[in-house]
C-alpha cells in the first residue's frame, strides 16, 4: 500500500492556542479516511496544513510525496479541496463557477456531469447568492471534484445537507474511491463516518485519541448492547439483580435502558422479556440498540460541550 498522505508530529499553534499537538498518521491510496472530533479539536487546521494553506510550526507533512508548503502550486492541480468556509462572488452563476474553475485544470472532468451528479442541474443559471446553504455546499463539492483529483479533501462533507443529498453524496464519495482516488473528509455525523469511512481518526484537543476501522473502534470499546423500553409504573426494586450476568439500569421517567457487556450467554433481549413477563410488568416500545461509533466518540471525548 502507498501512503498518499504522511503526517509526522504535526504541530500548529495560534498564539497561545495549541490547535494541533504533534499528531502522526498516514492515509493510504484508495481509502476514505475520516477525521471526527468535537468543535475546535483541530480537524480543519490539520487539513489546511495538508492543503498548504497553513504553515505547520513543527513536524513534517507529505501529500502525494511532496511538501505542500514548497510545492503547493503543483499540488493544487492534483488535489481537490472543499473548504469548511468558502465563498464565491454573489452574481456568479453555478455554471459559470464550474466553467471558470474547469479552465484552471489541465484535465478537468466534464462539469455538466457533476452538475447532474450533485443535483444542481436546475440551478445551473442561478447566481451564487440565491442558492440555499445546501446547494452552495454541493457546488463546493462539485468544484473539489472538478480536477479529477488523485486526492480530495472534504471538510465537513455534508453539513447543512438534507438526507437525500447526504445519501447522494455518500454514493458519490464511494464512486470517487471506486475510481482509485483517495478521500480525506471530516464530519460531525457519526453515522456518516461509520458507514462511509474505511478508517477513522478521532481527534480531541489537538491529539488523535483513536484511529482504526469503524468496526474495530466499536469492538475495541468493549461496547455495551442496550435494550430500551417504556413502563407505566416504576420497576420493582432490585430488578437488575435477577439477570444471569451483570446489567446496568438507567431509568429516565418512563424510559428504562438496560445496558450489558457484549458477548453474554443468554441474549440480553430475551432475558429482559422473560423477566418482565415473569414479574407481570407491563412494557411497551421495546427495542434493542447496538453500540455504534457515536458511543465510541462520546466515551473517548466525553459529554462536555466545547467552547
Ligand atoms: N485562524 C485562527 N486563529 C486563531 N485560532 C484559531 C484559528 N483557527 C482555529 N483556531 C483555534 O484552533 C483550534 C482548532 O480549530 P479547528 O478549526 O482546527 O477545529 P475543528 O476541529 O475544525 O473544529 P470544528 O468542528 O468546529 O470545525 C480551536 O481552538 C480554534 O479556536
Ligand atoms: Mg473545522
Amino acid at each position: 500500500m502507498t501512503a498518499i498522505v504522511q503526517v509526522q508530529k504535526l504541530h500548529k499553534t495560534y498564539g497561545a492556542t495549541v490547535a494541533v499537538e504533534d499528531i502522526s498518521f498516514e492515509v493510504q491510496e484508495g481509502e476514505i479516511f475520516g477525521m471526527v472530533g468535537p468543535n475546535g479539536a483541530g480537524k480543519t487546521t490539520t487539513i489546511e496544513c495538508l492543503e498548504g494553506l497553513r504553515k505547520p510550526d513543527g513536524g513534517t507533512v507529505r501529500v502525494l510525496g511532496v511538501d505542500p508548503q514548497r510545492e503547493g502550486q503543483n499540488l493544487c492541480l492534483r488535489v481537490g479541496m472543499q473548504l469548511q468556509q468558502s465563498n464565491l462572488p454573489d452574481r456568479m452563476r453555478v455554471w459559470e463557477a464550474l466553467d471558470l474553475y474547469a479552465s484552471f485544470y489541465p484535465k478537468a472532468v466534464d462539469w455538466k456531469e457533476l452538475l447532474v451528479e450533485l443535483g444542481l442541474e436546475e440551478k445551473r443559471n442561478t447566481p451564487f447568492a440565491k442558492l440555499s446553504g445546501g446547494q452552495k455546499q454541493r457546488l463546493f463539492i462539485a468544484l473539489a471534484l472538478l480536477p479529477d483529483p488523485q486526492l480530495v479533501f472534504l471538510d465537513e462533507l455534508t453539513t447543512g445537507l438534507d438526507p437525500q443529498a447526504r445519501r447522494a453524496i455518500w454514493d458519490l464519495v464511494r464512486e470517487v474511491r471506486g475510481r482509485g482516488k483517495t478521500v480525506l473528509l471530516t464530519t460531525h455525523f457519526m453515522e456518516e463516518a461509520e458507514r462511509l469511512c474505511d478508517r477513522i481518526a478521532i481527534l480531541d484537543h489537538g491529539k488523535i485519541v483513536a484511529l482504526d476501522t469503524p468496526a474495530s473502534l466499536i469492538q475495541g470499546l468493549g461496547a455495551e448492547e442496550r435494550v430500551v423500553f417504556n413502563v407505566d409504573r416504576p420497576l420493582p426494586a432490585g430488578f437488575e439483580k435477577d439477570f444471569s450476568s451483570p446489567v446496568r439500569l438507567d431509568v429516565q421517567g418512563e424510559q428504562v435502558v438496560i445496558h450489558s457487556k457484549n458477548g453474554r450467554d443468554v441474549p440480553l433481549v430475551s432475558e429482559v422479556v422473560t423477566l418482565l413477563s415473569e414479574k407481570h410488568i407491563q412494557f411497551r416500545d421495546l427495542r434493542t440498540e447496538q453500540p455504534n461509533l457515536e458511543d465510541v466518540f462520546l466515551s473517548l471525548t466525553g459529554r462536555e460541550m466545547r467552547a
Side-chain angles (χ1 to χ4, degrees), residues 39-40 42-45 84 155-156 186 188:
N39 291 140
K43 305 178 295 297
T44 296
T45 303
Q84 186 174 355
D155 195 1
E156 305 238 343
T186 77
H188 284 296

